[in-house]
Amino acid sequence: MATTATRNVDKVGRFFEFMHHKQIDQWGDLWAKDARIMIAYPPDGFASEIVGKDEIVAGFRQLFANFETYDYVVKAFYKTVNPEVIIVEWSVTAKIKSTGESYEGDNITVIRFADGLIVEYHDYFNPAKFARVVEALPTT
């Protein structure tokens, strides 16, 4: 039987695969109803926190609709003393549909699980680079 930490690392692996294939519905199934995304250094025009599975999924559906391609490399998974917390070091390369630009970034993400679902997601990335993605999002 897999340990809690191993199960969570496996779920994080699926998390990235769902994003790579733009399977946002399946990706959304990994989140708890009251989950939160916290962004320590958001670029202008981007929220520092997204609260609730419905808001998270809607936001990522819009974000990923603007990517022609989305590729990632997980550099390392770090298990912590708390088996419900996984730290991921990863990089992303995505092509932005509306501009044709390539977005490349390096991230450190802290993910906390409860009852097998993501409840907190702390994302650390270069806001100046991510600003190009935010600027390319369609306005409603």
Side-chain angles (χ1 to χ4, degrees), residues 80-102:
T80 67
V81 295
N82 179 346
E84 297 287 11
V85 177
I86 304 294
I87 299 171
V88 187
E89 182 180 357
W90 58 288
S91 62
V92 57
T93 302
K95 185 173 182 183
I96 302 169
K97 277 184 190 178
S98 60
T99 65
E101 287 185 75
S102 182

Side-chain angles (χ1 to χ4, degrees), residues 2 15 22 28 36 42 50-51 75 85 87 96 98 105 108 123 128-130 132:
F15 174 97
K22 297 184 184 180
R36 296 179 335 143
I50 306 170
V51 179
K75 298 176 182 178
V85 177
I87 299 171
I96 302 169
S98 60
I108 298 288
D123 208 5
K129 286 184 176 184
F130 191 67
R132 289 196 326 249

Side-chain angles (χ1 to χ4, degrees), residues 2-78:
T3 67
T4 299
T6 301
R7 178 199 70 205
N8 291 339
V9 166
D10 290 344
K11 285 191 177 198
V12 172
R14 288 198 308 270
F15 174 97
F16 284 105
E17 277 300 295
F18 290 147
M19 287 195 307
H20 171 70
H21 295 289
K22 297 184 184 180
Q23 296 172 312
I24 302 305
D25 290 334
Q26 294 90 333
W27 177 86
D29 290 340
L30 298 172
W31 294 84
K33 184 174 177 63
D34 60 348
R36 296 179 335 143
I37 293 179
M38 281 88 49
I39 302 160
Y41 309 105
D44 288 342
F46 201 77
S48 62
E49 183 175 65
I50 306 170
V51 179
K53 176 181 176 174
D54 292 343
E55 291 295 318
I56 291 167
V57 171
F60 272 72
R61 192 175 308 286
Q62 178 187 14
L63 182 68
F64 274 77
N66 201 36
F67 289 140
E68 185 173 319
T69 60
Y70 185 91
D71 294 305
Y72 71 94
V73 173
V74 172
K75 298 176 182 178
F77 287 108
Y78 301 100

